[in-house]
């Protein structure tokens, strides 16, 4: 049984990952640092933190694996700088602190099209964080690159809802990599990757995350 740290437990994929982890017999305990408190659970340790000032010496960093579902959009963040902080700086801060305390496995929800050389700011940021994670030294690093996520978000994202409807209506006509991805599938794959801890660097493409 493993002790796992989940970053981003309040988001769409994070909530599902948390539910999977708490129910899994493979997981002894889940450490889920969040900005606001989560409902209590016997297997859950929920430190309330400021991600801009994470406590480097906290003993709860001592985990076997990390599953990271931190992420936002430029619209929700309010600016490119704020987006970069959440999707780049925060995952790297979590990764470095967890690795320094002994974590050997890290799995990240990235995005379709992640590329450090992309001209698109969003895709470039995702690619840069993937690249930087590879330099930290985890024995196992898995990068999940889902496309458009299905499900209901707390934020109102009209554009995403229309895209979900259109792609959903087209069904099997749409190439697999561009189909709507169920967040539960991403969550299950994220947790499995963190726990399985296959040596080396692995990329899970969107077409492998759809039904």
């Amino acid at each position: 049984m493993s002790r796992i740290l989940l970053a981003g437990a309040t988001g769409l994929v994070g909530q599902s990952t948390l539910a999977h982890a708490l129910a899994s017999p493979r997981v002894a305990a889940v450490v889920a640092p969040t900005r606001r408190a989560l409902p209590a659970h016997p297997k859950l340790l929920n430190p309330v933190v400021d991600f801009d000032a994470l406590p480097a010496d906290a003993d709860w960093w001592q985990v076997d694996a990390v599953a990271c579902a931190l992420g936002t959009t430029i619209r929700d963040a309010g600016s490119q700088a704020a987006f970069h902080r959440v999707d780049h700086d925060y995952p790297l801060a979590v990764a470095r602190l967890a690795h320094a305390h002994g974590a050997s496995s890290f799995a990240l929800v990235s995005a379709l099209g992640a590329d450090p050389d992309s001209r698109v700011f969003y895709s470039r940021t995702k690619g840069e964080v993937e690249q930087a994670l590879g330099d930290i030294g985890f024995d196992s690093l898995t990068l999940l690159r889902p496309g458009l996520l299905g499900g209901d978000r707390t934020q109102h994202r009209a554009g995403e809802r229309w895209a979900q409807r259109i792609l959903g209506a087209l069904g099997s006509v749409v190439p697999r990599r561009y189909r709507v991805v169920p967040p539960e599938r991403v969550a299950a794959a994220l947790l499995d990757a963190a726990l399985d801890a296959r040596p080396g660097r692995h990329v899970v493409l969107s077409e492998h995350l759809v039904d």
Side-chain angles (χ1 to χ4, degrees):
M1 296 178 69
S2 298
R3 181 178 169 93
I4 186 168
L5 187 145
L6 172 61
T10 60
L12 184 63
V13 172
Q15 291 179 53
S16 185
T17 306
L18 179 61
H20 278 284
L22 293 176
S24 174
R26 302 175 64 190
V27 177
V30 180
V31 179
T34 56
R35 290 187 182 277
R36 61 181 185 275
L38 298 171
H41 187 281
K43 287 171 61 172
L44 177 64
L45 174 60
N46 177 218
V48 176
V49 301
D50 176 357
F51 280 91
D52 288 310
L54 290 169
D57 57 350
D59 57 6
W60 46 259
W61 288 112
Q62 297 175 14
V63 296
D64 303 297
V66 179
C68 183
L70 285 167
T72 185
T73 64
I74 296 174
R75 178 177 179 178
D76 290 338
S79 68
Q80 288 189 344
F83 168 81
H84 188 274
R85 187 166 64 251
V86 174
D87 280 59
H88 180 278
D89 298 351
Y90 290 174
L92 287 181
V94 168
R96 287 167 178 150
L97 287 168
H99 184 264
H101 285 80
S104 60
S105 173
F106 193 97
L108 172 76
V109 180
S110 183
L112 179 70
D115 182 351
D117 297 319
S118 175
R119 295 183 179 180
V120 179
F121 177 78
Y122 178 89
S123 299
R124 185 169 68 251
T125 300
K126 293 293 190 179
E128 288 172 350
V129 72
E130 288 187 1
Q131 190 174 62
L133 285 169
D135 296 332
I136 292 176
F138 286 101
D139 295 337
S140 174
L141 174 62
T142 301
L143 308 167
L144 283 72
R145 295 178 180 171
L148 180 65
L149 294 174
D152 296 323
R153 298 182 183 272
T154 54
Q155 304 99 330
H156 178 69
R157 298 180 180 178
E160 287 191 3
R161 289 186 180 181
W162 276 109
Q164 289 172 10
R165 291 174 183 172
I166 293 170
L167 293 175
L170 292 173
S172 60
V173 175
V174 179
R176 288 183 63 85
R177 74 173 303 180
Y178 298 115
R179 294 179 191 175
V180 176
V181 182
E184 297 80 10
R185 291 291 298 273
V186 181
L190 180 69
L191 183 61
D192 285 345
L195 294 176
D196 291 344
R198 289 188 298 148
R201 180 183 184 274
H202 309 277
V203 176
V204 181
L205 301 176
S206 193
E207 52 262 44
H208 301 301
L209 295 169
V210 296
D211 292 327

